[in-house]
Amino acid sequence: MRTQVGIIGGGPSGLLLSQLLHLKGIDNVVLEKHSRDYVLGRIRAGVLEQGFADLMREAECGVRMEAEGELHGGFYIAHGGGKSRIDLQGLTGSSVVVYGQTELTRDLYEAREKMGGKVVHGAVDVQPNDMTGAPFLTYTLNGEAQRLECDFIIGADGFHGVSRKAIPADEITEFERVYPFGWLGVLTETKPVSPELIYAKHPRGFALCSMRSQSLSRYYIQVPLSDTVEDWPDDAFWVELKNRLPAEVAKSLITGPSIEKSIAPLRSYVAEPMRYGKMFLAGDAAHIVPPTGARGLNSAASDIYYLYHALLDYYQKGEDAGLENYSDKALARVWKGQRFSWWMTGLLHDFPDQSGFDKRLQQTELDYLLSSESALRSLAENYVGLPF
Ligand code: APR
Ligand code: PHB
C-alpha cells in the first residue's frame, strides 16, 4: 500500500489531522492499535480553547460540539473558605468550550467513516522505518504482515507510543518533571455542583469540580502517588471532596455512584525536536502537561494546526519551509503551555516537601493574582489559549 501521509495513532491528534488533510484531497491512513470502543472508553480532558473549536469546525466536525458543548465565560478558584470568579470573557473577550474528549473523538471517527477515511483498527507492532530516506510503516493486521509506504510519517500515538521511541537516542532530548502526587478522578451521572468549573486550593490538597454536561459531572482530588483506586470507595471520595470545598459548595454537592474512577499521576514532559527526518511528532507523543491548566488536549490541537498548514504548503505550493519550521514553531507554543500548567499546578496543590516559606509564597502568589487585573489577565489569556 502507498499513501501520502501515514499517521500512527487514532486519538484526537491523529484523527483531526487525518480529517483536515482528507478534506484538502491529501491521502492518508491512520494506524490505530486498539478498537474504536477502547479508544472511546478512555475518560480524558474536557475543556477546549476557541482555536481548537475553530479547527473542529474547519474539519467539518463542529455540529454536535456547537449543539451540546457549553460555552464557559469564566471559572472559579476556591480558597480560604470562599471562591473568586475568573472572568475569562471580560478579561480576554474569549471563552472556552466544555466538551468531552470522548465526544470529540467520537465526532472525528464518525466524520472519518462518512468520508470513507482509512482508519485501520487493531494494527499491532506498528513500526516506522527509513525515516531519513524513503519512509514506510510496517505493522501486523489479523496476523498478516503489512507495509505502507508514505511521503511522511506522523507520530500521533500518545505518550506510550512507538514513534518517539523509534528516534535514535542521540537525536532527541527529553525534559521532565514528575510531581509527587496524582489526581483521583470520578465521573458520575449527577448534575454538576456549579455551572462553571471550580479549582479548589485547600490545606488537605487540591480539588476540581468539572463536568461533561448538565447531567454528567467530573470531580478530582489530589492524592499521594502511593494511593490506589481501591483505597477510595465512593463514600470516602465524596467526604474528602466536600472537605476541600467551601461549605456553601459542599452543601449543594449532589453525589452518586461513580461510573468511572481512575488515578492519573501528574507529569510535565517535552521531547525535542518534534521531528526526525520525515517523521513528525504531535500531541501526547511529544509532550505531557499536568492537567491543572487544561492544556493537554489543546497543546495537541496546536501541533495539528501547525502540521496541517505545513503539509498544505508542501502539497499545494511545493514549499517545505513549514515542515522545516514545524518543530520550532510547535515547541514555542508547547513550552508556553508547559509554563502555564506548571505555574497553575504550583499555585493550587499541596506539596509534601513545602517549607513554611514556600507556603507563604504560594499564598501570596494567589493573593496577588486575585488583587491584580494584570495578573488575572495573564492567567485568563493562557487559559483561553494563546494565539496559534
Ligand atoms: N500503534 C498504533 N497506535 C498506537 C500505538 C502504536 N504503537 N501506541 C498508541 N497508539 C494509539 C493509542 O491507542 C491512542 O488511541 O495512539 C492514540 C494516541 O492517542 P492519545 O493518547 O489520546 O494522544 P493524542 O491523540 O495526542 O491526544 C492528545 O491530550 O490532554 C491530552 O490525554 C489527552 O489524549 C489526550 C491528548
Ligand atoms: C476535566 O473536566 O476533566 C478537566 C477540566 C479542567 C482541567 C482538567 C480536567 O483543568
Side-chain angles (χ1 to χ4, degrees), residues 44-47 183 197 199 208 210-212 218 220 291-294:
R44 296 259 181 101
V47 176
W183 279 17
L197 274 65
Y199 291 81
L208 171 62
S210 181
M211 69 205 70
R212 292 291 173 272
R218 182 72 166 157
Y220 297 95
T292 325

Side-chain angles (χ1 to χ4, degrees), residues 342-353:
W342 159 84
W343 173 80
M344 205 160 153
T345 301
L347 179 72
L348 298 174
H349 287 76
D350 181 62
F351 286 74
D353 56 354

